Amino acid sequence: MTQPYTSATESHEASMLSRKFGQEIVNYFSSSPLNRVSFLRSNTAFLRAALPRSKFLLLRDLEPLAASKTTLAWVGYETVRTLVGSPFDTEQEEFLRGYDSRVEIPTLVFLGIDEGVVGGGQGSGDGERFEFEGEGGKYVGRPCFALDVTDKGSLGEECRKVQEEAVEGAEGREFRKVKLDLSLAPPDAAIFAQARSLLDWNNRNQFCSACGARTVSTNAGTKRTCPPSDKALQKNPEDPPFERPPCVSRKGIHNIAFPRTDPTVIMAIINSTGDKVLLGRQRRWPKDFYSTLAGFCEPAESVEDAVRRETWEESGVHVGRVVIHSTQPWPYPASLMMGAIGEARPDGEGIVLKHDPELEDAQWVEFGQVRRALEGNTGTPEVEVEGAAEGQLRLPPSTAIAHQLLLAVVNGFHLAKP
Ligand SMILES: [Zn+2]
């Protein structure tokens, strides 16, 4: 048997890299406990065997079925059988040859194999163990899928039935809005992030961006394909498959057919004397809420360049050296936040908000004040903090990479090791 895979980073005291660079920061939404086995997504023999032995995470309008504030809920194949059917009984090529754009197919995404790290909750049949002998060895665990059960289109009624059955008799189970409070336990949050990003991407890419024709989900939900033919366009059922016009997306590797991940920079900028950090406030945030600056990377721009450009555009501050600290996937909808720490140039610390009026305010804030807020006054901009004193700096919670960046600088990330 192959050794169970884990992406979770333990702090290896003995690691050469940890000795030099410090412990790896594992941000919220990252380090899923599932083994994604991405190479098995196109293996129909694997998918066919796995499906009836899998557990399913249901999402309605991109919100997950949860057992509680902290835990996702899973259902077994029995609950979703009528909706899902047996999509992997036909090989992918054959499936595409028989494609019919009139038939709606539920969005089902293979997430990976649970090798035993995460509990599944009631009704998930978690004791089950599935084995698959692949080229590289044996893969063992519980296969996991995400399934969109949003009540819409011709599948609406079937989706409603699945929703009802999934919550029936299981107290506390509900489709939860999890964005506002970030309360899911970290392993569950990471699984949800993958599920949400992929279902959302499938929903948004129903049509080919190269030729405009309908696309269909392939590779177990991780690719969209522009099928070469469509039965809906056939005049007589006996005719050969109706060929669609040629499409560039059918040849070679095209990023128009794969899920996107949008690189974003987020940065804690310190002043040149290393005792203050630059914080900004967006117009829509509550009055005392501040955070680090952030923005999207542009095409043909390095992360370091994007940090310098975004900081200057939003705050007028000129940044010199930039160091990457850690990264965080952010599934709203598909960002990868690259957290950096940068140093302002001594002659470029003046704040100018008028280049790009995105921020209502930006300020240099002393480390002491930042430390106090990190310890006692954090929250998301959307959620009221109980007992928060008016006029006191409020910062993002520890689940946000902004918090981790600020924590790093007030703890002396930028100082030479003694
Ligand atoms: Zn196309």
Side-chain angles (χ1 to χ4, degrees), residues 270-285:
I270 51 177
N271 63 350
S272 58
T273 44
D275 51 13
K276 287 182 186 161
V277 62
L278 182 65
L279 297 179
R281 222 183 73 71
Q282 293 184 16
R283 283 164 211 289
R284 61 191 170 86
W285 288 348

Side-chain angles (χ1 to χ4, degrees), residues 103-335:
V103 180
E104 262 193 86
I105 303 167
T107 308
L108 179 68
V109 173
F110 175 60
L111 299 173
I113 296 178
D114 180 350
E115 292 175 325
V117 192
V118 171
Q122 192 188 4
S124 70
D126 225 35
E128 276 187 45
R129 184 182 141 98
F130 169 80
E131 282 187 17
F132 182 78
E133 187 81 49
E135 302 265 318
K138 206 180 263 183
Y139 308 101
V140 183
R142 188 91 196 269
C144 302
F145 283 85
L147 176 65
D148 188 358
V149 294
T150 306
D151 174 359
K152 61 167 191 227
S154 62
L155 297 168
E157 200 183 327
E158 212 48 67
C159 287
R160 266 195 309 279
K161 275 192 214 156
V162 174
Q163 288 177 26
E164 279 162 24
E165 201 184 319
V167 295
E168 218 171 61
E171 209 178 316
R173 261 197 199 193
E174 57 173 343
F175 289 90
R176 276 189 70 88
K177 283 203 185 311
V178 299
K179 182 179 180 182
L180 300 184
D181 56 7
L182 302 172
S183 60
L184 283 175
D188 284 33
I191 294 172
F192 162 68
Q194 183 194 4
R196 187 193 193 280
S197 287
L198 279 163
L199 290 187
D200 187 40
W201 171 77
N202 272 284
N203 288 343
R204 289 171 193 252
N205 288 272
Q206 301 283 315
F207 295 91
C208 177
S209 62
C211 77
R214 261 195 186 281
T215 57
V216 69
S217 159
T218 50
N219 281 17
T222 58
K223 190 179 166 186
R224 302 285 309 180
T225 299
C226 178
S229 64
D230 185 352
K231 277 191 166 169
L233 302 171
Q234 242 167 268
K235 286 210 176 71
N236 302 306
E238 315 80 58
D239 290 351
F242 185 94
E243 299 286 329
R244 285 168 147 189
C247 175
V248 67
S249 77
R250 294 187 202 121
K251 291 205 188 92
I253 295 175
H254 290 271
N255 59 6
I256 50 177
F258 290 98
R260 47 185 291 172
T261 293
D262 303 325
T264 313
V265 288
I266 180 159
M267 48 279 182
I269 304 301
I270 51 177
N271 63 350
S272 58
T273 44
D275 51 13
K276 287 182 186 161
V277 62
L278 182 65
L279 297 179
R281 222 183 73 71
Q282 293 184 16
R283 283 164 211 289
R284 61 191 170 86
W285 288 348
K287 202 161 96 350
D288 303 317
F289 189 90
Y290 280 75
S291 186
T292 53
L293 274 47
F296 283 107
C297 282
E298 299 231 326
E301 190 174 52
S302 70
V303 171
E304 292 85 344
D305 287 342
V307 166
R308 282 185 280 264
R309 176 185 55 75
E310 278 287 340
T311 306
W312 178 78
E313 286 180 1
E314 290 187 1
S315 72
V317 171
H318 293 265
V319 175
R321 177 81 160 96
V322 171
V323 171
I324 294 169
H325 169 267
S326 65
T327 60
Q328 178 174 45
W330 195 257
Y332 298 100
S335 289

